[in-house]
Amino acid sequence: MTMRYELLAQRILEGAAVRFPNKEIVTRVGEGTHRYTYADLLTRTARLGNALRELGVAQPRRVGTFAWNNYRHLEAYFAPPTIGAVTHTINIRLAADDMAYIINHAGDLALLIDPDLAPLIEAIAHRLTTVRHFIILGEPEDVTTTLPGAVSYETLLAAASPEYRPADVDEYSTMGLCYTSATTGLPKAVAYSHRAVYLHSLTSAMTDMFSLSERDRVMAVVPMFHANCWGLPYSATLVGASQMFPGARPDPRAICEMIEREGVTLSAGVPTIWIGVLDYLERSGVEYDLSSLRQVVSGGSALPLAVLQAYRDRLGVDMTHAYGMTEAAPLISVNRRRSWLDGLSEQEQLELCAKQGVVAPGIETRLVDENGEDAEWDGEQRGELWFRGPWVANEYVDDERSGETFVDGWYHSGDIASIDPDGYIQIVDRVKDMVKSGGEWISSVDLESEIMAHPDVLEAAVIAVPHPQWQERPLACVVPRSQTSAPLTKEVILEFIQPKFARWWLPDDVVFIDEIPKTSVGKFDKKVLRERFESHA
Amino acid sequence: MTMRYELLAQRILEGAAVRFPNKEIVTRVGEGTHRYTYADLLTRTARLGNALRELGVAQPRRVGTFAWNNYRHLEAYFAPPTIGAVTHTINIRLAADDMAYIINHAGDLALLIDPDLAPLIEAIAHRLTTVRHFIILGEPEDVTTTLPGAVSYETLLAAASPEYRPADVDEYSTMGLCYTSATTGLPKAVAYSHRAVYLHSLTSAMTDMFSLSERDRVMAVVPMFHANCWGLPYSATLVGASQMFPGARPDPRAICEMIEREGVTLSAGVPTIWIGVLDYLERSGVEYDLSSLRQVVSGGSALPLAVLQAYRDRLGVDMTHAYGMTEAAPLISVNRRRSWLDGLSEQEQLELCAKQGVVAPGIETRLVDENGEDAEWDGEQRGELWFRGPWVANEYVDDERSGETFVDGWYHSGDIASIDPDGYIQIVDRVKDMVKSGGEWISSVDLESEIMAHPDVLEAAVIAVPHPQWQERPLACVVPRSQTSAPLTKEVILEFIQPKFARWWLPDDVVFIDEIPKTSVGKFDKKVLRERFESHA
């Protein structure tokens, strides 16, 4: 028979340290750069693991991270799991109430905090019931916080043994924890097993997924506190790719500079990031050499066709659409063009790119309509996406709401989609964001995409507002670009999109606002817009 | 927590049928071609599974296959595992004694036999104690055998339900069985779990391994009865690649024609195959367009540098060296050039290609010298390779010899190698093939490689012969090419290789023979040579 050999997160790091000891890990630190190798990463992970052990952290204790994308955060991705504990990545953009709730709910024993983020924790420190150790990710001189007993990460590491002593754990044990913000109510906790992370890393690196190789130089712009950073810190380590971390507050300039200087081949982030980069390049007029990029991955929310087109036309980069969610560790699909679709016209290819792609090997899918029947995969019929697979969650941890989402072994995603005959998913909307007009569904996302295709529109969100006769009607909330060729009016918008939709789909009104409110992970926060325009006639 | 979702062989097929229903599976049948799709494969696999169920095959019963590389054999790769039974691939080139032994030892309940191979089974039928069903892989008219109760495969399938009803099994249960010929004694059985095959498929498809994509058109020339066909029928299905099967008795002409006609992108086979193809191209003078090939994988035994060079120079194809064994399902390593070695000279790159490559992610390695100490990975020190990992065996099934090979959780490969600082393994010899001269080791493989670099040498094997003073001395057994520029003599050979070796390494004698005897899997059979030249002075 085959050996019992557990699939553990630390195998990923151990393998990289053996096979790629000298490959680089590069972090932007202010205007400077920090560089070290996978061999260094293993040693420092060993030190962090031993330091945490001495603080009383061991299986199954949880360690919270509150940090930007940097090498110390990468160490914190690996160290707790190697000692049988759990890494809990905390979203730094949460409201204080949610932040206090999740730290207490997780029962974090220690928090690893970037120095400049310490004030956010100070503000809620009195409400934290389980945290015993505040560890500041820096040198002693970086510890300027008033958090009780705060210690320097580097002091802890220097005092700890460099001997690497991984714990002997079961692959089904928890090694990661991430909270997802709920449409209503408190955040919900998703736990990841060692096995899930290992299999997610292997699969997401495959040729028809991210096609990761040791030749890659990977820069995740997506925050490390967001949905496992799409698994990239693990998958890039698994294949031995060099990794670039953009550090604190990465703005478009920092992103462009790092791509150019470090020869980044693959980068990943939410659409807002890529829209911001494009906007910056146009406004600043600075010329960067971004030709090393072979793949720009966009995910987290729909990528407007216009942005895809702009990257292709102006930068010569094909963006790759990825789709997933915290509950799936997070990848469900990556949009790569199938060989039999090579003959599509340029326009058809662009439209294909805007879809969410075909599910990864290992993921099973159902498309379930409002009657609970399986919808046809004909690109027309719509249904809710259900998933199962070796890295999909089966519950929210300690949460009564689990039963609504995890039913009979299937995860109900809440995403309404169609699937075309080639297997490409196209997300239409969230179940909760669809506009119900006279008993028929209108997709807010379809409308937004077309509105955002207008050259004078920076962002647009469509929400449902109550209507006495039709129950709900769509309202478009539009952010114009700073400089527009002509004044942007309701009529201009409606005329621009009217060829694409049935008459009754068109928004009843268009309001112009300064900014679309965003959630803590950069998605449009329609909850806020709905409240603001609740009584809009 | 993450779902419990078993890694089963049938997930591979199910995924392909959902995501790639129309991708092709092409088999050479005589001078014709059989084509169908993954959707067809799933349906016929379901029928075969149901037919086997009706014959009383179910968990954990074993089904033997005795066949060439073709689509029915592919169905037999999948169908027994989907019903919780075991596919046992039988080497058609075994001696009758070994063949009878392994079929009885496996306890095969049914045998699936290619029509032209039936006589080999007829010859041993009276010795088979467990086989109840002889199923001939063809139409009723193909059943011309005298095997008792023999039935047509197509008749069975036509009568069976097409409903796909996979069994619910544990991923650690056995789904495959393959015997490896021992240096001495009877063949030894290696069992594969569902989990091992799934993980092997995922990992071997990775970008820095075989780099498999749905865009590939994969032709395994390595027999499907040999070490899982290097996992290609599973890994190619996992990624949705098209598959080409070269059918019965694939000669170099058939191989070249299939590559050209089907646009094969990746092919795999033992060095003998590739030497034969090269020889055929030279002798026949036929021009084939082989430009679709992006990767030719060679494994099973060392690939002479001269062959690597010839493929690069004459065909423009880089051969990829792979290394593994039946005990490892079988892949341990694939030789891809690491990014930091791009600057090597052409000669250095060629020498790098001749190594066995860097171990796959997931495989742990030790290099253990004769004192049981870990040798340095400096490219100089030699030791035996030990492995462990999620697709490595932990025993020979029902075999007392297990304890010699599987020790304290490590598989002792019996291969002597060095590992260079970049992690590349270079096999020096088998523990049992090293020549012990005056207490020092001489590598028979090193000598063979250099002798085979001579343009007039077709094949060469070096063996140890007893020597009164030195204990053993090397003897070179050389097969000249049919046409040589000048007569090939002992002096020519020794003069050719003498710059490369210390004087005492040079063979004491060179004998010229018509052919190097081969084992059932095409490797040099040095056991036969040693017996033949045992008393050579």
Side-chain angles (χ1 to χ4, degrees):
Chain A
M1 181 43 67
T2 312
M3 290 179 181
R4 291 233 163 208
Y5 191 88
E6 302 294 286
L7 305 176
L8 303 178
Q10 58 257 35
R11 306 282 192 218
I12 293 172
L13 175 57
E14 293 163 6
V18 168
R19 300 183 302 131
F20 307 99
N22 302 316
K23 295 296 284 289
E24 272 188 325
I25 294 158
V26 183
T27 301
R28 169 179 159 266
V29 182
E31 292 297 307
T33 303
H34 175 276
R35 291 170 190 275
Y36 72 1
T37 66
Y38 279 114
D40 299 323
L41 173 62
L42 182 69
T43 306
R44 285 175 55 93
T45 297
R47 285 186 185 271
L48 176 55
N50 291 329
L52 290 170
R53 274 189 176 111
E54 286 181 27
L55 297 178
V57 176
Q59 195 176 353
R61 288 282 175 91
R62 290 160 183 179
V63 177
T65 68
F66 199 76
W68 303 101
N69 291 16
N70 59 51
Y71 64 98
R72 293 189 181 105
H73 206 165
L74 183 63
E75 294 158 9
Y77 257 56
F78 282 109
T82 61
I83 63 167
V86 177
T87 299
H88 166 211
T89 52
I90 304 164
N91 188 331
I92 63 171
R93 302 208 179 99
L94 288 177
D97 279 357
D98 284 346
M99 215 179 270
Y101 169 77
I102 71 167
I103 294 172
N104 290 333
H105 186 268
D108 292 330
L109 187 77
L111 292 184
L112 301 170
I113 306 163
D114 262 344
D116 63 321
L117 300 174
L120 295 170
I121 300 294
E122 288 165 18
I124 57 166
H126 61 289
R127 299 164 64 182
L128 302 181
T129 56
T130 63
V131 179
R132 297 284 165 272
H133 306 283
F134 297 100
I135 301 165
I136 304 300
L137 293 163
E139 304 289 345
E141 60 267 29
D142 297 319
V143 184
T144 56
T145 174
T146 60
L147 285 166
V151 292
S152 146
Y153 181 83
E154 294 300 335
T155 303
L156 271 183
L157 257 60
S161 160
E163 193 196 346
Y164 178 61
R165 295 181 291 126
D168 189 17
V169 296
D170 182 280
E171 68 187 30
Y172 275 105
S173 58
T174 299
M175 54 71 72
L177 195 65
C178 189
Y179 284 72
T180 179
S181 47
T183 316
T184 53
L186 291 161
K188 296 178 278 192
V190 179
Y192 306 111
S193 65
H194 280 268
R195 171 184 165 102
V197 164
Y198 191 95
L199 292 170
H200 183 276
S201 303
L202 260 182
T203 306
S204 63
M206 292 181 78
T207 311
D208 292 332
M209 297 284 289
F210 289 155
S211 197
L212 284 179
S213 154
E214 62 88 13
R215 289 178 176 270
D216 276 307
R217 299 176 68 80
V218 175
M219 179 173 72
V221 181
V222 52
M224 294 177 79
F225 52 74
H226 177 204
N228 285 334
C229 198
W230 302 352
L232 284 167
Y234 297 117
S235 55
T237 303
L238 180 78
V239 303
S242 296
Q243 295 186 59
M244 279 79 221
F245 292 100
R249 295 181 181 73
D251 58 16
R253 183 177 67 89
I255 291 169
C256 292
E257 283 178 2
M258 200 157 201
I259 293 171
E260 181 178 65
R261 192 179 59 244
E262 301 297 337
V264 168
T265 61
L266 182 147
S267 188
V270 294
T272 323
I273 294 291
W274 304 122
I275 293 169
V277 165
L278 203 60
D279 196 49
Y280 164 72
L281 288 173
E282 279 174 22
R283 278 190 297 103
S284 73
V286 182
E287 292 285 333
Y288 292 94
D289 177 4
L290 308 179
S291 60
S292 58
L293 278 176
R294 68 166 180 82
Q295 202 171 2
V296 171
V297 180
S298 178
S301 54
L303 183 65
L305 216 63
V307 178
L308 266 165
Q309 181 122 41
Y311 269 80
R312 175 175 287 190
D313 293 350
R314 300 183 208 175
L315 299 179
V317 173
D318 271 339
M319 299 194 82
T320 304
H321 216 160
Y323 166 64
M325 62 283 298
T326 304
E327 291 84 346
L331 274 175
I332 288 290
S333 65
V334 174
N335 188 335
R336 304 297 294 260
R337 189 171 68 239
R338 296 306 197 199
S339 51
W340 62 88
L341 300 174
D342 284 349
L344 294 182
S345 71
E346 202 162 324
Q347 181 59 26
E348 288 167 330
Q349 284 190 21
L350 205 62
E351 281 162 19
L352 186 74
C353 284
K355 296 186 178 185
Q356 274 71 25
V358 178
V359 293
I363 296 289
E364 270 189 87
T365 314
R366 286 184 64 192
L367 184 71
V368 182
D369 69 17
E370 56 270 41
N371 306 315
E373 304 287 329
D374 282 289
E376 288 291 316
W377 291 19
D378 59 3
E380 297 292 330
Q381 292 188 35
R382 293 173 169 191
E384 185 185 11
L385 289 167
W386 295 7
F387 300 112
R388 63 181 183 193
W391 56 87
V392 180
N394 70 355
E395 63 166 1
Y396 295 119
V397 183
D398 297 334
D399 200 307
E400 288 178 355
R401 292 165 293 180
S402 285
E404 304 159 18
T405 302
F406 304 95
V407 186
D408 293 337
W410 289 89
Y411 160 58
H412 295 209
S413 71
D415 283 331
I416 302 291
S418 64
I419 304 181
D420 71 21
D422 298 309
Y424 286 75
I425 291 172
Q426 183 151 34
I427 303 293
V428 179
D429 218 332
R430 292 290 296 166
V431 169
K432 295 177 199 233
D433 286 339
M434 299 280 277
V435 182
K436 286 161 240 148
S437 174
E440 300 279 346
W441 293 92
I442 295 172
S443 161
S444 63
V445 172
D446 286 359
L447 289 168
E448 287 160 10
S449 299
E450 290 302 331
I451 296 171
M452 284 194 276
H454 191 288
D456 289 340
V457 171
L458 187 65
E459 290 179 330
V462 171
I463 55 166
V465 289
H467 189 279
Q469 185 181 356
W470 303 111
Q471 184 183 6
E472 288 180 357
R473 286 296 298 159
L475 171 70
C477 308
V478 172
V479 182
R481 285 191 187 277
S482 40
Q483 279 146 357
T484 62
S485 48
L488 206 55
T489 61
K490 170 181 172 181
E491 289 67 34
V492 169
I493 297 288
L494 293 182
E495 193 177 332
F496 181 72
I497 65 169
Q498 86 47 27
K500 302 294 180 85
F501 298 105
R503 197 163 175 75
W504 61 273
W505 269 54
L506 295 181
D508 281 6
D509 201 2
V510 178
V511 294
F512 293 94
I513 57 179
D514 291 341
E515 195 184 359
I516 307 286
K518 308 283 193 316
T519 69
S520 56
V521 296
K523 299 187 192 185
F524 288 172
D525 194 340
K526 297 194 181 179
K527 204 167 29 170
V528 173
L529 285 178
R530 273 193 294 262
E531 281 162 20
R532 181 162 155 201
F533 293 105
E534 182 168 48
S535 51
H536 189 88
Chain B
M1 182 42 66
T2 312
M3 289 180 180
R4 292 236 164 208
Y5 191 89
E6 300 295 285
L7 304 176
L8 303 178
Q10 58 257 36
R11 306 280 192 219
I12 293 173
L13 175 57
E14 293 162 8
V18 167
R19 300 183 302 131
F20 307 99
N22 302 317
K23 294 296 285 287
E24 272 188 328
I25 294 158
V26 183
T27 300
R28 169 180 159 264
V29 181
E31 293 298 308
T33 302
H34 175 276
R35 291 170 191 275
Y36 72 2
T37 66
Y38 279 114
D40 300 324
L41 173 61
L42 182 70
T43 306
R44 285 174 55 93
T45 297
R47 284 184 185 275
L48 176 54
N50 290 329
L52 290 170
R53 273 188 178 112
E54 285 181 27
L55 297 179
V57 175
Q59 190 178 358
R61 288 282 176 89
R62 288 158 184 180
V63 177
T65 69
F66 199 75
W68 303 100
N69 291 17
N70 60 49
Y71 64 99
R72 293 188 180 106
H73 206 165
L74 184 63
E75 294 158 9
Y77 257 56
F78 282 108
T82 61
I83 63 167
V86 178
T87 299
H88 165 210
T89 52
I90 304 164
N91 189 331
I92 63 171
R93 302 209 179 97
L94 287 177
D97 280 357
D98 284 346
M99 215 179 276
Y101 168 78
I102 71 166
I103 295 171
N104 290 333
H105 185 268
D108 292 331
L109 187 78
L111 291 184
L112 302 170
I113 306 164
D114 262 345
D116 64 321
L117 300 174
L120 294 171
I121 299 293
E122 287 165 16
I124 57 167
H126 61 287
R127 299 163 64 183
L128 302 181
T129 55
T130 63
V131 179
R132 297 285 166 273
H133 306 283
F134 297 99
I135 301 165
I136 304 300
L137 293 163
E139 303 288 345
E141 59 268 29
D142 297 319
V143 183
T144 56
T145 175
T146 59
L147 286 166
V151 292
S152 146
Y153 180 84
E154 295 299 336
T155 304
L156 271 184
L157 257 60
S161 160
E163 192 196 347
Y164 178 62
R165 294 182 292 125
D168 189 16
V169 296
D170 183 280
E171 68 187 31
Y172 274 105
S173 58
T174 298
M175 54 71 71
L177 195 65
C178 188
Y179 284 72
T180 178
S181 47
T183 315
T184 54
L186 292 161
K188 296 177 280 194
V190 179
Y192 306 111
S193 66
H194 280 268
R195 172 184 164 101
V197 165
Y198 191 96
L199 291 170
H200 183 275
S201 303
L202 260 182
T203 306
S204 64
M206 291 181 79
T207 311
D208 292 332
M209 298 284 290
F210 288 156
S211 198
L212 283 178
S213 154
E214 62 88 13
R215 290 179 174 270
D216 275 308
R217 298 177 68 82
V218 174
M219 180 173 73
V221 181
V222 52
M224 293 177 80
F225 52 74
H226 176 202
N228 285 335
C229 197
W230 302 353
L232 283 168
Y234 297 117
S235 55
T237 302
L238 180 77
V239 303
S242 295
Q243 295 187 59
M244 280 78 221
F245 292 99
R249 295 180 182 74
D251 57 16
R253 183 177 67 87
I255 291 167
C256 293
E257 284 178 0
M258 200 155 202
I259 293 171
E260 181 178 65
R261 192 179 58 243
E262 302 296 338
V264 168
T265 60
L266 182 146
S267 188
V270 294
T272 323
I273 294 290
W274 304 122
I275 293 169
V277 165
L278 204 61
D279 196 51
Y280 164 72
L281 288 173
E282 279 173 22
R283 277 189 297 102
S284 72
V286 181
E287 292 284 334
Y288 291 93
D289 177 3
L290 308 180
S291 59
S292 59
L293 278 176
R294 70 166 178 82
Q295 200 171 3
V296 170
V297 180
S298 178
S301 53
L303 183 65
L305 216 61
V307 177
L308 264 167
Q309 181 122 42
Y311 269 80
R312 176 177 286 192
D313 293 351
R314 300 182 207 177
L315 299 179
V317 174
D318 271 339
M319 300 195 80
T320 303
H321 216 160
Y323 165 65
M325 61 285 294
T326 304
E327 291 84 345
L331 274 176
I332 288 290
S333 65
V334 174
N335 188 335
R336 305 296 295 259
R337 189 171 71 240
R338 296 305 196 198
S339 51
W340 61 90
L341 300 174
D342 284 350
L344 294 181
S345 71
E346 203 163 323
Q347 181 60 27
E348 287 167 331
Q349 284 190 19
L350 205 64
E351 281 163 19
L352 184 75
C353 284
K355 297 187 177 185
Q356 274 70 25
V358 178
V359 292
I363 295 290
E364 269 188 86
T365 314
R366 286 184 63 190
L367 185 71
V368 182
D369 69 18
E370 57 269 41
N371 305 315
E373 304 286 330
D374 282 290
E376 288 290 316
W377 292 21
D378 60 2
E380 297 292 331
Q381 292 189 36
R382 293 174 167 189
E384 185 184 10
L385 289 167
W386 294 8
F387 299 112
R388 64 181 181 191
W391 55 86
V392 180
N394 70 354
E395 63 166 1
Y396 295 121
V397 182
D398 298 333
D399 200 308
E400 289 177 358
R401 294 165 291 180
S402 285
E404 303 159 19
T405 302
F406 303 94
V407 187
D408 293 337
W410 288 89
Y411 161 59
H412 295 208
S413 72
D415 283 332
I416 301 291
S418 63
I419 303 181
D420 71 21
D422 297 310
Y424 286 75
I425 291 171
Q426 183 149 34
I427 303 293
V428 179
D429 218 333
R430 292 290 297 165
V431 170
K432 295 179 197 228
D433 286 340
M434 297 282 277
V435 182
K436 284 161 243 151
S437 174
E440 301 277 348
W441 294 91
I442 295 172
S443 161
S444 63
V445 173
D446 286 0
L447 289 167
E448 286 160 10
S449 299
E450 290 301 333
I451 296 172
M452 284 194 277
H454 191 285
D456 289 341
V457 171
L458 187 63
E459 289 178 329
V462 171
I463 55 166
V465 290
H467 189 280
Q469 184 180 355
W470 303 110
Q471 184 182 6
E472 289 180 357
R473 286 294 299 157
L475 170 70
C477 308
V478 173
V479 183
R481 288 193 184 276
S482 41
Q483 279 147 359
T484 62
S485 47
L488 206 53
T489 61
K490 170 181 172 181
E491 289 68 31
V492 168
I493 297 288
L494 294 182
E495 193 176 333
F496 182 72
I497 65 169
Q498 90 37 35
K500 302 294 180 87
F501 298 105
R503 199 166 172 74
W504 61 273
W505 269 53
L506 295 181
D508 281 7
D509 201 1
V510 178
V511 296
F512 293 93
I513 57 181
D514 291 341
E515 194 183 359
I516 308 288
K518 308 281 192 316
T519 68
S520 55
V521 296
K523 299 186 193 186
F524 289 172
D525 195 341
K526 295 194 180 177
K527 203 165 36 171
V528 173
L529 284 177
R530 274 193 294 262
E531 282 162 17
R532 180 161 156 204
F533 292 106
E534 179 167 51
S535 52
H536 188 86

